[in-house]
Amino acid sequence: MSENEIRNLLAERTAAMSAKDPARLVAGYAPQAVKFDLAPPLRTTGASAEDLTKWFATFDSPVTYEYTDVEVTESGDLAFTTALAKMSAVPVGMSEPFTLWFRSTLVFRRVEGAWRIVHEHSSTPFHMDGSFRAAIDLRP
């Protein structure tokens, strides 16, 4: 069943994050995947193990990552998920972890029989009170 395959890919992503394993994480992407990530720039193409290695090095702990409220929609060789994602880790030089909740949409395409991420969109809402501050204190 495709939904189980997609959910298994999400579980693999969370395990790869916790292991700080960029190769495992990149393996889930199609080569030209479009990413609208939390970090600048506004858009990137492809997933880079080198960039992930540098990012993982900014943490003294595993990166815990979980998806909640996951909805999977599938039609033929395309599928997408919407979810809330929670990420937590201890930054280098800090004693306590941060926790960030954000929105996650992933689009998958079946490529040579295997599901691969072709589009990733992660976002945090911002306060619309004129301050434009990211609303990183939200919890579901």
Side-chain angles (χ1 to χ4, degrees), residues 11-75:
E12 173 61 14
R13 287 175 57 77
T14 62
M17 283 286 220
S18 181
K20 294 167 72 168
D21 187 337
R24 277 175 72 187
L25 207 50
V26 168
Y29 289 90
Q32 295 301 312
V34 174
K35 295 177 66 181
F36 298 152
D37 219 341
L38 294 173
L42 290 173
R43 172 193 168 125
T44 57
T45 303
S48 166
E50 181 180 336
D51 290 345
L52 287 166
T53 298
K54 290 176 187 174
W55 181 67
F56 284 138
T58 67
F59 301 112
D60 279 338
S61 71
V63 178
T64 61
Y65 205 86
E66 80 181 54
Y67 293 100
T68 62
D69 299 332
V70 177
E71 303 245 352
V72 178
T73 303
E74 182 250 332
S75 179

Side-chain angles (χ1 to χ4, degrees), residues 1-14 67 69-72 81-82 108:
M1 169 183 267
S2 296
E3 181 170 344
N4 287 339
E5 292 174 82
I6 298 294
R7 288 182 183 277
N8 288 341
L9 287 173
L10 295 179
E12 173 61 14
R13 287 175 57 77
T14 62
Y67 293 100
D69 299 332
V70 177
E71 303 245 352
V72 178
T81 60
T82 57
F108 301 85

